[in-house]
Amino acid sequence: MAKYLATLLLFVAGLAYWMGWVPWAQPLKTDKAPPTVLAKRMDIAPVLPLSGEVAPAFQVDVKPEIGGKIKKIHVIAGQNVRKGEPLVTIDDTDLLNERASAEAEIAGARLRVEKILGNFSRAKQLFAQKLLSREEYVNLEADYQIAENELAKSLFRRQTVDDRLAKTRVVSPADGTILDVPVNEGQVVVGAASVNSGTNLMSFADLSRLLINAHVNQLDAGKLSVGQLMEVHSPDSSDQDYQARIEFIAPLATVKNNIKGFEVRGVIEGNRESMRPGVSVSIIVPIGKAEGVVALPVTAVFERDGKTVVYVLKGKETECRNVVVGLMDSSHVEIKSGLVEGEEVLMVAPPEPASPKKKKT
């Protein structure tokens, strides 16, 4: 019996220990004071972080105005060129043959004009002396006009061939850099016309003036304005940050990556080698600065009944006080009114007092 009783006591003691009840253990204290912070003066400089992409301010796809086989490519990707420098030469053999044919037509037309002009001049004299009928005179006059018209057509055909020959030499439209050359010598290309887009010979851009394109959330777009400074940094560059200014803010919101916002374009002048088109960049836009203002950590400011409040510690009492906030950065917020420097504020909101229960009647 005693052995059975001892076993039972050991079992009960083990169960009590497993459930966390130890008679000699000290009770846990739960009356720990909440954390506080002192209101102090500091500088608040909020910024708007963005991401964007670099693009040249001027970029075009160079296309031929006439079709044909590429005879010579004069440039390579990455090469800097000046306005008017040759980029591509298209084979002009067929056009030269066509021009020779036009020259032969012109020579023949001139001979016909000269011959008919001689006959017409004699007929004019005879008609004046009334030795030639009016019908014969009119016929010779018409033959002369037809011959002159044929000569004009031949000259126009030669001019058309010369214009096409000039287009076989594709030149740079401005000073800039060749970005890409997707064609090869010997390749047959199609001329750009109203019925087709033509073959892209190369991409050309002016890299002396670069754009920074970004998409800004509709909630943050109102914080930006044209002319505002932007700090641009490329993750691929170890150089210092670039300075840019906002040139354009789209008037119409668009959706990008399922986020509705506005297209923002900044301009950076004076390119460096590390900043190239297509590079992703991080952008910091300063949106204000307040110097030497009373501030609190953002975690010490609360919303209560639609108002912004802080909980000021007065001895052992806590006062809920309305405040007016100003600028805010990632960690602190400016307190414009309702709090003075040095006051102690709770970092956590105190529990709401329980409402008194009504007595039953």
Side-chain angles (χ1 to χ4, degrees), residues 156-175:
F156 179 76
R157 180 189 171 195
R158 185 182 64 179
Q159 183 60 49
T160 302
V161 174
D162 287 342
D163 291 342
R164 294 173 64 192
L165 278 170
K167 293 175 182 178
T168 61
R169 185 174 177 267
V170 183
V171 299
S172 174
D175 296 348

Side-chain angles (χ1 to χ4, degrees), residues 85-100:
E85 284 190 27
L87 302 178
V88 173
T89 299
I90 297 175
D91 184 33
D92 58 0
T93 302
D94 293 340
L95 290 175
L96 290 175
N97 292 335
E98 190 173 343
R99 191 182 192 282

